Amino acid sequence: MTVHEIRENTSLIATVLNEERSLPAFLASLEAQTIHPAEIVVVDGGSSDQTVPHLRAWTPSCGCRVIVHVAMDAGISAGRNLAIALATNAQMVVTDAGTVQRSDWFAALTAPWESDPDAVIAGFFEPAGDTFWSRTIAAVITPTRDEIDPRSFQPSSRSVAFPRDVWREVKGYPEWLDYCEDLVFDLAIRKTGRQFTFAPDAIVAWVGRPNLWEFAKQYYRYARGDGKAALFPRRHNLRYLAYAFAVSAWWISPWLFLTGAIGFVVYVRTALRRVWGRRTMFRAPAAAGALLTAPLVVVVGDVAKMVGYPAGIVWRRRRAAEKS
């Protein structure tokens, strides 16, 4: 008989919406953990598929308590806040459905609490996918471990842990945001003077969007979230300037255009390096295709950001005007 180790006083929380297809792999990865939470709380935002019945029929072999709650039309921030409110323990571990957790993920993410129960902990993630485009997109946009500065890394809420008291102090996830909510939550934690403890071995695998159109929509929404929250104005403005230079260089001078082309190669080198370092994700011909299409992924993402960011600014100004 297998004996499952439970880390007491911990709750794992997640939100779901129409995750019927990805749910089996997600739940299987939670079952396979070397250490388990005492409790799992899942909030469903109103799925129209079989997500909720599957969750309610799930009985994890570890014996941990499972709470499944349906909150119709709840966004991801509201869902996370509700899941934490429903949890009965003091330590929160957050992840996303649609991901797959490495078997030692929970153990690695919660290990810092053994010496410091007040720690806020940043896990890590790696790209995955079941099609060429999902793997390529994920490989291009996911940073590698050597790119991360633990002192400034802002964790995704697909792999993060914190005490419930910290969540209360920062007033939870921002429910007025539909995207970038985890980044704003991270920044709020940092404003309290806390630093994230980096747990690089607490890895979840996440799948990129299935095609460039879905990827463009995703990055449009991310940039719109930046505009709503007034995040990274310098970064976005530099992007506009860079592309304005590239377009104007084409008309002004061939030599200026060549300079821009060289600059573009330098710009996409990180994407190319990421794909090359992850070439084992692909079969040989597909790896070459991923390298060739990596610059296209970068450009599509940039254009989507340049459209999304001003949309977020307009939303923010309208919201401010309504409040005044």
Side-chain angles (χ1 to χ4, degrees), residues 175-195:
E175 297 187 16
W176 54 276
L177 270 177
D178 49 358
Y179 284 84
C180 298
E181 78 294 327
D182 48 0
L183 176 57
V184 171
F185 181 73
D186 292 346
L187 294 173
I189 289 176
R190 288 194 181 276
K191 285 180 181 178
T192 69
R194 294 176 174 86
Q195 295 295 318

